[in-house]
Amino acid sequence: MTSSSEFQRLLRAQRVWDIDLPAFDAAAAPAEPLSLFHAWFADAVAAGQAEPHTMGLATVDEAGLPDVRTVMLHDADRRGWHFASHASSAKGRQLAARPAAALHFYWPALARQIRVRGRVTEAPHHEGIADLHARSTGALAAALVGHQSEVLSSSDELARASADAWERAAAEPDADAASWTLYVLDPVEVEYFQGDARRRHVRLRYRRDGDPAAEHGCWVRELLWP
């Protein structure tokens, strides 16, 4: 077992961003946050960042305590940032009670972070199922297993349910998963963070202001102290 002092030694020996970091000219950033997200995502893929489509999703439970987990991004368009889960899961129940959330992307290959905050709505069921069917057989099988966040009696029970779900997903690629839900986070704030080796990090925040239907005019851009 690692001692407390050994853990601290290991922790403090780690280095952050010991690489050549890209520049970020915030003054040249677009008027709205979505196109910059698309560009940064492409940069992350080009840089070889592992799983750039995964993100932290933070919600609040019935007691007001924050909750967070890693989920997969399904799309990012003019409606917002898309992700999916079972409506009956912990995150689904939390979003039903308090339909607001925050997302966090971290791409260490470029020393970049993106934070997104906003209201969450459910897409129509047919849209969520179409999104699910466009993914892999494994994704459909996982959705068909269901029971997400419920107490599991044994690993054998999961193995049996998973095997049945994989068999059904292969035989019925258009199978429905009743509680599977596509969520869309409509942002009110999007922050872009570019790390700097001398700790002069660039933080650009887009803040929604005014009529959300107005093209570009609804976003205020402001720099933040690192």
Side-chain angles (χ1 to χ4, degrees):
M1 182 178 295
T2 303
S3 67
S4 176
S5 60
E6 175 64 9
F7 170 74
Q8 290 182 357
R9 186 194 68 78
L10 289 172
L11 184 63
R12 291 169 181 167
Q14 305 311 303
R15 293 294 174 261
V16 178
W17 307 328
D18 191 16
I19 54 175
D20 291 331
L21 301 180
F24 175 39
D25 181 6
E32 45 75 36
L34 181 63
S35 57
L36 183 56
F37 179 82
H38 288 165
W40 274 30
F41 185 86
D43 290 345
V45 172
Q49 174 63 56
E51 300 182 352
H53 59 316
T54 58
M55 59 189 182
L57 166 66
T59 54
V60 177
D61 70 10
E62 64 277 4
L65 295 174
D67 206 350
V68 67
R69 74 288 286 165
T70 300
V71 299
M72 184 181 297
L73 177 70
H74 286 220
D75 200 357
D77 59 18
R78 291 294 178 185
R79 290 186 294 166
W81 275 250
H82 301 217
F83 59 93
S85 184
H86 287 283
S88 56
S89 68
K91 68 180 82 64
R93 296 193 305 271
Q94 290 166 7
L95 288 169
R98 302 185 182 203
L103 307 176
H104 178 251
F105 297 85
Y106 177 46
W107 298 326
L110 296 168
R112 285 177 172 174
Q113 300 182 61
I114 303 173
R115 300 168 60 221
V116 188
R117 303 171 68 206
R119 302 285 294 178
V120 177
T121 58
E122 296 182 9
H125 182 66
H126 69 85
E127 188 175 335
I129 292 301
D131 173 76
L132 178 61
H133 290 161
R135 298 172 64 206
S136 66
T137 301
L140 176 58
L144 292 173
V145 169
H147 303 292
Q148 192 174 58
S149 305
E150 297 178 15
V151 174
L152 177 66
S153 62
S154 71
S155 57
D156 288 341
E157 183 183 19
L158 173 59
R160 289 191 297 271
S162 178
D164 291 344
W166 273 89
E167 183 177 349
R168 184 183 175 196
E172 302 177 45
D174 58 348
D176 190 16
S179 65
W180 190 252
T181 304
L182 182 67
Y183 296 95
V184 182
L185 187 152
D186 183 21
V188 295
E189 285 186 7
V190 185
E191 181 189 323
Y192 291 85
F193 173 104
Q194 173 62 66
D196 177 81
R198 294 183 64 82
R199 304 303 191 265
R200 295 189 291 242
H201 313 308
V202 179
R203 294 177 62 188
L204 174 65
R205 179 172 64 189
Y206 290 83
R207 179 170 48 81
R208 193 184 289 276
D209 183 38
D211 180 7
E215 185 177 4
H216 303 329
C218 61
W219 291 104
V220 173
R221 293 184 304 170
E222 48 201 5
L223 291 172
L224 304 176
W225 282 83

